[in-house]
Amino acid sequence: TGLEISMLGNSALTYEKKHELNVGLSTGFLNNRINLEFDVYWRNNFDLLGRTNTQGTGGEIWKYANIADMKSHGVEFTLSTRNINKKNFKWTTDFTFSWSEQEITNLHTDANIINLVRGTGYNLEGYAPYSLFSIPFTGLDAEGFPTFEIGGETITKDNYSSINFQETDEEVLKSLKYEGPTDPVYTGGFGNTLTYKNLRLNVFMTYGFGNVVRMNQIFKSSYSDFYAMSNEFKNRWMVSGDENKTDIPTIASQRQLTEYGSSAVQKGYNAYNYSSARIAKGDFIRM
């Protein structure tokens, strides 16, 4: 028999807190055939919970703590209408819209390059929660290899090995490009419900705008016959001069892998996967 401590006591931990002001309007017209709801809110959140690294005292390398403060404001809008209200046929419509802007005003946590550029987003003081950053892409060189600018240093195939995804230096992190939040800023839906006797049809659309996504990490230093190529490879660098009309890097030859180092080239292509060239808008409409 034995006993193992999985987590130490944490007397400094306290509740999350919030100050909020909410102003709303709810009204109906034409015997409530048209209903409108409108809300505006301002929120200040304090002592938000999260993980933070420790000095290792007691055997823990991280713990939960009250590490952040955040402010946000936004609007919410709902419009509901009864367009047709007959005995055997009814048609109702619901339209919703919301806009939210958030900013982390205080944060005690450690960040590195890979945390900030990974597609899930990361929290950083002065930005929205789950913000996404990129390694600045500066184009392809004369052989079709991607180049970057990190911390004031130009990165090419000759010094790919200097890329450190675990870098925590503040000046290097500031050199990353801010792309935007991974959560939509504008969200809502548009629904239509049609009822005929006992039959009902619901046509519902949802939408989200204002966020960004990291595109799939499909680029590697080498590929096998078992690898399914993306159609993006059709536009890759193939001959001298292509660097002026495409940002899709070349497929490295065996000679190039030997000359520049296979592991170093792999670092360069990983940096390309997490660069500003591999960002897309996350706007969508679904029905």
Side-chain angles (χ1 to χ4, degrees):
T1 58
L3 181 67
E4 178 186 2
I5 298 176
S6 61
M7 186 172 291
L8 300 177
N10 191 346
S11 59
L13 210 58
T14 185
Y15 294 104
E16 294 184 331
K17 305 172 184 67
K18 178 173 66 173
H19 296 162
E20 179 174 359
L21 172 63
N22 189 72
V23 180
L25 170 69
S26 180
T27 185
F29 304 94
L30 302 179
N31 197 25
N32 286 330
R33 293 192 62 171
I34 300 175
N35 291 280
L36 173 66
E37 292 187 12
F38 183 79
D39 289 276
V40 183
Y41 64 87
W42 295 266
R43 294 185 187 130
N44 286 323
N45 297 78
F46 306 93
D47 295 329
L48 297 178
L49 295 175
R51 287 173 50 148
T52 184
N53 295 329
T54 74
Q55 295 179 338
T57 305
E60 285 184 324
I61 60 174
W62 67 268
K63 66 178 182 179
Y64 286 108
N66 303 95
I67 62 171
D69 302 328
M70 183 175 70
K71 65 179 181 180
S72 61
H73 59 277
V75 298
E76 297 176 351
F77 172 85
T78 301
L79 176 65
S80 301
T81 62
R82 287 184 290 164
N83 307 313
I84 298 177
N85 191 24
K86 301 294 185 181
K87 179 179 179 181
N88 292 326
F89 181 69
K90 294 180 175 62
W91 173 27
T92 61
T93 298
D94 295 286
F95 175 75
T96 60
F97 170 83
S98 69
W99 166 77
S100 176
E101 187 174 274
Q102 304 177 84
E103 180 186 347
I104 298 172
T105 56
N106 181 41
L107 182 64
H108 303 284
T109 189
D110 296 323
N112 56 29
I113 289 179
I114 193 62
N115 286 336
L116 296 177
V117 301
R118 189 178 288 137
T120 53
Y122 198 73
N123 297 322
L124 199 64
E125 187 174 322
Y127 296 91
Y130 303 107
S131 289
L132 186 56
F133 296 78
S134 289
I135 296 172
F137 172 70
T138 54
L140 303 178
D141 67 10
E143 290 187 79
F145 285 92
T147 63
F148 316 96
E149 191 78 26
I150 303 177
E153 180 183 5
T154 300
I155 305 296
T156 68
K157 59 183 178 296
D158 298 315
N159 60 344
Y160 279 162
S161 57
S162 66
I163 300 173
N164 179 16
F165 289 102
Q166 304 301 323
E167 179 63 69
T168 59
D169 183 81
E170 188 174 342
E171 292 304 315
V172 174
L173 298 184
K174 285 182 179 179
S175 71
L176 299 178
K177 181 184 177 184
Y178 173 64
E179 303 289 0
T182 55
D183 291 330
V185 177
Y186 307 94
T187 58
F190 180 60
N192 286 273
T193 302
L194 301 142
T195 305
Y196 177 71
K197 294 185 177 180
N198 293 324
L199 300 176
R200 172 179 288 194
L201 173 65
N202 185 12
V203 182
F204 185 60
M205 301 173 67
T206 59
Y207 61 88
F209 301 100
N211 63 311
V212 294
V213 295
R214 171 72 61 199
M215 299 169 72
N216 290 337
Q217 291 85 53
I218 61 175
F219 293 92
K220 303 165 63 177
S221 59
S222 60
Y223 308 89
S224 72
D225 292 339
F226 298 101
Y227 190 83
M229 294 287 191
S230 166
N231 65 351
E232 294 179 75
F233 284 82
K234 293 189 300 182
N235 300 319
R236 71 184 184 277
W237 186 101
M238 287 187 283
V239 297
S240 180
D242 282 352
E243 64 271 15
N244 298 319
K245 59 183 181 181
T246 183
D247 60 1
I248 306 298
T250 185
I251 295 177
S253 67
Q254 188 60 50
R255 178 191 61 79
Q256 290 170 323
L257 292 177
T258 302
E259 180 179 355
Y260 303 119
S262 179
S263 60
V265 173
Q266 181 59 58
K267 269 192 172 184
Y269 278 90
N270 277 341
Y272 179 77
N273 283 325
Y274 294 113
S275 74
S276 53
R278 301 296 296 166
I279 287 290
K281 290 184 177 181
D283 303 345
F284 71 89
I285 300 176
R286 294 192 184 100
M287 184 173 70

